[in-house]
Every structure is written in C-alpha cells, then in structure tokens.
C-alpha cells in the first residue's frame, strides 16, 4: 500500500515513542533517535517493520524518536501512524494486532 499522507503518533514524554511516516521511494528507510539505540535499535526497527509489513507498506520514510518505550508501546504507535498514513483510521484493520 502507498502512504497517502504524512502521519504521526506518540509523544516525546518519558517511556513513549514518537513516530512519523511519510512517503518514501527506496523501501523502508529509518531515521532513529534514541539514547538506547546501540542496545535496542535493531529491536525497535524490527517491531516497526513488522507492523509496516502487516499493512503492506513498502516505500516509507520512518522517523522515530524513542524515549524508552517498551515493545507494546512501539507496536501501538506504529499501528496508529500506519492507519493515519493510509487514511484508514476510521476503518482499523484489527487483524494486524
């Protein structure tokens, strides 16, 4: 699926994560900012990529600012941003959960 509009989810509060999805042209490109990127950067990217794959999104620029979010929070923010970016927030695809 193609991104219809740039979308954001999350906050910059402690234990949260802010993610922004915008149209890309070279597959899934990550811009990750996190104090724990060395330890958990690959896991954060893998969680987000799994959500994007579930929605069939393959060309996207993913900007992530992590403030210590746990995996369920990362997944929830990625799902929300994906639904907003695809303009299907009113018709959620529950099977991706």
């Amino acid at each position: 699926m193609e991104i219809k509009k740039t979308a954001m989810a999350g906050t910059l509060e402690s234990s949260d994560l802010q993610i922004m999805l915008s149209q890309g042209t070279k597959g899934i490109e990550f811009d990750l900012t996190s104090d724990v990127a060395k330890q958990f950067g690959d896991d954060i990217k893998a969680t987000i990529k799994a959500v994007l794959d579930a929605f069939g999104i393959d060309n996207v620029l993913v900007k992530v600012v992590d403030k210590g979010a746990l995996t369920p929070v990362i997944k929830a923010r990625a799902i929300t941003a994906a639904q907003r970016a695809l303009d299907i927030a009113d018709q959620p695809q529950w099977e991706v959960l």
Side-chain angles (χ1 to χ4, degrees), residues 9 16 25 28 35-36 39-40 48 57-59 67-69 71 73-76 86 90 94-96:
D16 203 354
T25 58
I28 299 174
D35 291 340
V36 295
Q39 296 94 339
F40 300 109
I48 294 169
I57 300 171
D58 51 8
N59 286 314
K67 296 293 184 177
T71 301
V73 174
I74 297 168
K75 185 175 180 181
L86 295 172
D90 294 335
W94 297 110
E95 61 274 6
V96 301

Side-chain angles (χ1 to χ4, degrees), residues 46-93:
T47 300
I48 294 169
K49 185 177 181 323
V51 170
L52 297 175
D53 290 344
F55 279 101
I57 300 171
D58 51 8
N59 286 314
V60 61
L61 177 59
V62 183
K63 182 170 175 46
V64 180
V65 180
D66 173 54
K67 296 293 184 177
L70 298 175
T71 301
V73 174
I74 297 168
K75 185 175 180 181
R77 298 304 190 200
I79 290 170
T80 301
Q83 289 177 339
R84 289 175 179 170
L86 295 172
D87 204 20
I88 60 169
D90 294 335
Q91 303 146 351
Q93 295 180 3

